[in-house]
Amino acid sequence: MRDLFYDLVRRNGMAVSIYLMLAVSLWVFILIILPQLTMLDYSFRFNLPPAKIGGPEDVYTLEQYRYFFQGSGASDGLNTLDIGILFKTLLAAVFVTVFDLIICYPVAFVLAKSSTGAKARLLVLALIVPYWINEILRAFAFRILFGATGVINETGMGLGLWDTPIDFIRQDVALYAGLAYAYILLMIFPLYNAIESLDRNQIEAARDMGANWWQVHAKVVIPYAKPGIASGMTMVFMLTSGALAAPQILGGPSNLWFTQLVYQWFNSGGNWPRGSAYAMVLLIVCIALVLLVMRLFKVSIGEIKQ
């Protein structure tokens, strides 16, 4: 920390460095640490009426976490409904993350190595401009696009690919497509930053030694870009797991995202301690999965800071 401060002072001066350190510290503490600590405290409380909060009944308990694992049934049973929804949400988030990686890797490579000057700026602008539209409006646009009378169904039936409208909403196609599109920039730019710093001579050397296109990427580009891949996948996975607007708008009637359970406990159910417990379960499981995958692929937290 001391070395970081001295480096900031050397580059920006004492006044600017103190301002930056204070601003970042307040940002992290007030907007990140304090709300999480408050939610953690709530998750170990009973759901009491306001008049009883702070009284003798307001004690710490594991009741909210017990409910997540066992529900309101017998003590030897599992709350298979909520646990299943959590598992389905995480599985869907993994699918969206991998799908984004497959789509974004070629785009990032072309942007980093095949585009320069005005062409590169035009491509970046083309990627960013659609995100000037509000996320909720984009979700509704996807609902219209994948609807029974939407562009995709009308085009497919017009070309004779299918005879009756396909229910893309009920089959979760619209949801996965909307989530993949919502966070696609968070995958492209970490990949771009990593690939752009790769010396082009390494690619040329691999080609001169007889490596084909697949070998160049498998042996040279992807190992070098592994921190960028890990960074992009982490952000997309965490945000997809915690998404709410897209599942609410694009999710089918039989599909329930885990964040919708959290929302229901906080709002419809009016049970903030249970909503906090569910939110903490989601946070802990997501962080554990990310750390596990980073360990399996031998990527450290320090490497993904770029």
Side-chain angles (χ1 to χ4, degrees), residues 170-219:
R170 186 178 295 274
Q171 296 178 11
D172 294 333
V173 175
L175 174 59
Y176 293 159
L179 287 171
Y181 180 73
Y183 306 118
I184 204 167
L185 290 185
L186 297 177
M187 182 69 76
I188 287 180
F189 286 120
L191 287 173
Y192 168 78
N193 289 334
I195 297 174
E196 195 271 338
S197 62
L198 174 63
D199 189 351
R200 190 185 296 269
N201 291 328
Q202 296 186 40
I203 298 176
E204 296 300 330
R207 288 174 177 168
D208 291 341
M209 295 178 67
N212 57 32
W213 189 89
W214 293 102
Q215 290 172 328
V216 167
H217 287 273
K219 301 296 185 180

Side-chain angles (χ1 to χ4, degrees), residues 35-293:
Q36 295 298 328
L37 290 177
T38 302
M39 188 171 294
L40 181 64
D41 180 73
Y42 274 12
S43 70
F44 289 104
R45 301 284 186 173
F46 286 106
N47 185 33
L48 300 174
K52 294 185 178 182
I53 295 178
E57 298 180 39
D58 189 9
V59 296
Y60 288 106
T61 177
L62 294 174
E63 170 63 23
Q64 313 305 337
Y65 292 96
R66 186 203 65 79
Y67 184 91
F68 170 76
F69 288 105
Q70 298 181 352
S72 56
S75 59
D76 58 347
L78 279 176
N79 185 2
T80 55
L81 178 61
D82 292 354
I83 295 175
I85 292 172
L86 174 61
F87 179 78
K88 182 180 178 181
T89 299
L90 296 175
L91 191 62
V94 170
F95 173 80
V96 170
T97 302
V98 174
F99 182 71
D100 267 357
L101 177 62
I102 294 172
I103 291 178
C104 294
Y105 177 80
V107 176
F109 182 81
V110 170
L111 189 62
K113 295 302 179 184
S114 302
S115 302
T116 57
K119 184 179 178 181
R121 290 192 293 271
L122 183 61
L123 286 174
V124 171
L125 186 63
L127 289 170
I128 293 175
V129 166
Y131 289 86
W132 292 356
I133 302 173
N134 183 273
E135 179 184 0
I136 296 177
L137 294 179
R138 282 188 274 117
F140 275 111
F142 266 83
R143 189 173 182 91
I144 295 172
L145 184 68
F146 285 95
T149 59
V151 175
I152 294 179
N153 266 313
E154 292 292 337
T155 303
M157 290 188 293
L159 295 175
L161 300 178
W162 54 83
D163 298 326
T164 57
I166 299 176
D167 194 345
F168 292 110
I169 303 296
R170 186 178 295 274
Q171 296 178 11
D172 294 333
V173 175
L175 174 59
Y176 293 159
L179 287 171
Y181 180 73
Y183 306 118
I184 204 167
L185 290 185
L186 297 177
M187 182 69 76
I188 287 180
F189 286 120
L191 287 173
Y192 168 78
N193 289 334
I195 297 174
E196 195 271 338
S197 62
L198 174 63
D199 189 351
R200 190 185 296 269
N201 291 328
Q202 296 186 40
I203 298 176
E204 296 300 330
R207 288 174 177 168
D208 291 341
M209 295 178 67
N212 57 32
W213 189 89
W214 293 102
Q215 290 172 328
V216 167
H217 287 273
K219 301 296 185 180
V220 179
V221 182
I222 292 178
Y224 183 85
K226 191 165 63 172
I229 295 173
S231 177
M233 293 185 71
T234 298
M235 289 190 290
V236 172
F237 173 76
M238 296 295 285
L239 290 174
T240 303
S241 301
L244 179 60
Q248 289 275 58
I249 297 169
L250 297 173
S254 61
N255 182 28
L256 191 62
W257 215 251
F258 193 77
T259 48
Q260 292 174 284
L261 288 181
V262 177
Y263 177 83
Q264 289 174 6
W265 283 121
F266 271 110
N267 293 274
S268 304
N271 193 332
W272 281 49
R274 188 156 297 165
S276 299
Y278 274 51
M280 294 307 301
V281 167
L282 178 62
L283 176 63
I284 292 170
V285 171
C286 287
I287 291 176
L289 282 175
V290 168
L291 293 177
L292 176 62
V293 173

